[in-house]
Amino acid sequence: MPDTIPADSVGIVTPNIAVFETPLALSSKQTLEQYELIYETYGKLNAKATNAILICHALSGDHHAAGYHSMDDKKPGWWDSAIGPGKPIDTSKFFVVCLNNLGGCCGSTGPTSLNPKTNKEWGADFPIVTVTDWVESQARLADYLHINTWAAVIGGSLGGMQVLEWSIRFPDRIKNAVIIASAPKLSTQNIAFNEVARQSISRDPDFHDGHYTANNTIPVNGLGLARMLGHITYLSDDSMGKKFGRKMRHDDYQYNYGIDFEVESYLRYQGEAFTKRFDANTYRLMTKALDYFDPASATNGDLSKALSSAQCDFLLVSFTTDWRFSPARSEEIVDALVRAGKHVSYAKIDSNKGHDAFLFPIPRYMSALNGFLNRAHNILIQESN
Amino acid sequence: MPDTIPADSVGIVTPNIAVFETPLALSSKQTLEQYELIYETYGKLNAKATNAILICHALSGDHHAAGYHSMDDKKPGWWDSAIGPGKPIDTSKFFVVCLNNLGGCCGSTGPTSLNPKTNKEWGADFPIVTVTDWVESQARLADYLHINTWAAVIGGSLGGMQVLEWSIRFPDRIKNAVIIASAPKLSTQNIAFNEVARQSISRDPDFHDGHYTANNTIPVNGLGLARMLGHITYLSDDSMGKKFGRKMRHDDYQYNYGIDFEVESYLRYQGEAFTKRFDANTYRLMTKALDYFDPASATNGDLSKALSSAQCDFLLVSFTTDWRFSPARSEEIVDALVRAGKHVSYAKIDSNKGHDAFLFPIPRYMSALNGFLNRAHNILIQESN
């Protein structure tokens, strides 16, 4: 917990809830009659509402991107290192919005919400939502906030996919797109890992076909396993090696299937901690949203063609040791944008932190983000004069 | 099943069982009072017993490396592509021995065997055995077969670790070492994946602390998951992409957590098939043997020093897209051998098949194996004159 709020923090923040009564038609052909989105904002919206930035979260993220909910918080929001006054996503210049996506488990309508038709928790009956659905719901949140055009939409990993979708779906509502450690679609291996994670959850007898709450239980074993596996794919071989190597818990091997290596203990802890803050149905839903994302499928696999309608400027960022979404995956997007004649900047950042690097304030990365957004801010100042 | 036995096949083979009554002291400080090893042999041992080759199997391998058990067999042994008359491991020149390792589940003493003290299946009480224990038991099998010195010991992956151990532990009993797609020890990431696999198994309620047979069940869900995960690490991103891409089972996404992509179906099938042929306790044991292997730990991490006593010639082989044991891991062994002043040949083979490449008859790979073993054979001919 902070003794005092740091000067470059957005400070104490309070989440807001927006209620939407207009039915939302989903990619699945199902319809959500009503839903709520929880979101936070940092900074001030200017008079013409031209300085708003949308932050899109990744698989296990939420709306709490920066600042503290109270002085008792042990940690600030998940991207506090990048968001604040004077930080790359500068809240003295921009009005920053971050929401928990539909289907999430942190306050927006999702599997842990009540299904109004049954007055019971949705559980596994909550419809699978897609990146397209999210972007649609985010556009409605923009309307609700009287923001016609985002100065920038920014996201890492699954968040980057939402940014890409924004640039295609609402070309006149986004000025700048920042796509970090992302991919234009999952590889076969990515899908395979997701499937193992989903199977880990659904094979847990405590899963009860997704209606575990009604059975007064939680599939902690399966969800923990899914997170352990996910965690390995977020880290690089190198960073795991540097952090744990073959460090042992005891002086010698135990020969009993208990914990021999520190990394085993770490993974078990990470898995267990995750089950206390995250919902298993939401986890499955998020992996399906990842699997389903493939904007180029509408243009016979031609990503450049899919991006032809985009009007914004792009910044792509990748990290050298990211093997979940390697630099080559970002470069697919860069190449497609170049072929489509779009403005695109690209920074491949040296880091040993694997996919997780996008959450760290690596100087060259922060500097690229800062430079790109400064330029965006200068342009909007010029346009307002 | 073969209509006729191919001319370059070792033909119909019958496994043998060797019974050992001399207690074997294990690395774990436990002792196996008696044990059996199942093995097959191909080719003929020469009068001076100088032409014997030992094949060491990998995690899920067994003693049936070549030929057929009957004309009804659908497939030959797991390394039939490399072993036979005229093949790189040429049974017209060499006497080839392949055993199922101790702790296995294919006929050698292991968790599915009866514990003579209790007259019940060992299950999870079977002691964890190590690569060192295996090599010790293989040396006793050599004694039993009246083979003092192996013309070569050959193995891929975990099998390669046994070869490395042979070269260190019994330098005067091995003339040539062939270490394929292996590593001198597991990386942190390797251990992490193994731990997820073990947890998949032990968290299955049907595991019953490893005494599932006594409970008339099998932890098929957990063992299947472990295999699904393992399978991903055996294949390359590229080969999975080429084989499955994003091929779908249906015309459109199902939005129901069923099977959308062919790769999901494939993985589930692989997982399920594995549970019908492999034992969960053996799987856990094999992963521990992998985790524990670290011959340089006896020399403060100096692999070159650990290898200083080795007298054999070495052939190392790696595969470009193997990310489980990447070429860099083989090159650690090559470099250590070079520093130790040993004879070492090294072939890094282009292949998109990932770790599994070691099981395929890739021409340059087979040619390297053939050349190295031809040379070995020529030397033993010269020495016998």
Side-chain angles (χ1 to χ4, degrees), chain A residues 246-264:
Chain A
R246 293 176 56 90
K247 256 181 252 158
M248 297 205 294
R249 170 63 70 88
H250 310 278
D251 288 340
D252 202 355
Y253 297 143
Q254 296 299 293
Y255 296 101
N256 64 2
Y257 301 106
I259 287 175
D260 282 299
F261 296 96
E262 288 292 349
V263 69
E264 299 172 293

Side-chain angles (χ1 to χ4, degrees), chain A residues 186 188-189 195 198-199 203 205 221 237 241 245-246 253 255 257 260 264 268 285 288 291-292, chain B residues 186 188-189 195 198-199 203 205 221 237 241 245-246 253 255 257 260 264 268 284-285 288 291-292:
Chain A
L186 291 200
T188 318
Q189 189 189 68
E195 171 63 5
R198 281 189 297 266
Q199 288 290 313
R203 291 179 181 202
N221 281 320
D237 193 13
R246 293 176 56 90
Y253 297 143
Y255 296 101
Y257 301 106
D260 282 299
E264 299 172 293
R268 289 189 199 182
L285 182 152
K288 275 292 179 187
D291 287 7
Y292 285 173
Chain B
L186 292 200
T188 317
Q189 190 189 69
E195 170 64 4
R198 283 188 295 265
Q199 288 290 314
R203 290 179 182 203
N221 281 320
D237 193 13
R246 293 175 56 90
Y253 298 142
Y255 297 101
Y257 301 106
D260 282 299
E264 298 172 293
R268 290 189 199 180
R284 294 211 307 164
L285 182 152
K288 275 291 179 188
D291 287 6
Y292 285 172

Side-chain angles (χ1 to χ4, degrees), chain B residues 158-225:
Chain B
L158 176 55
M161 293 174 171
Q162 295 159 55
V163 181
L164 195 61
E165 184 69 19
W166 260 101
S167 75
I168 295 169
R169 192 167 177 83
F170 295 110
D172 55 345
R173 300 192 69 175
I174 167 175
K175 292 267 188 189
N176 294 280
V178 181
I179 299 169
I180 305 162
S182 194
K185 64 183 175 195
L186 292 200
S187 72
T188 317
Q189 190 189 69
N190 294 148
I191 294 170
F193 276 124
N194 279 348
E195 170 64 4
V196 176
R198 283 188 295 265
Q199 288 290 314
S200 298
I201 293 168
S202 63
R203 290 179 182 203
D204 185 332
D206 286 334
F207 183 63
H208 294 286
D209 288 330
H211 296 288
Y212 35 88
T213 310
N215 286 274
N216 295 311
T217 185
I218 291 174
V220 288
N221 281 320
L223 181 58
L225 268 181

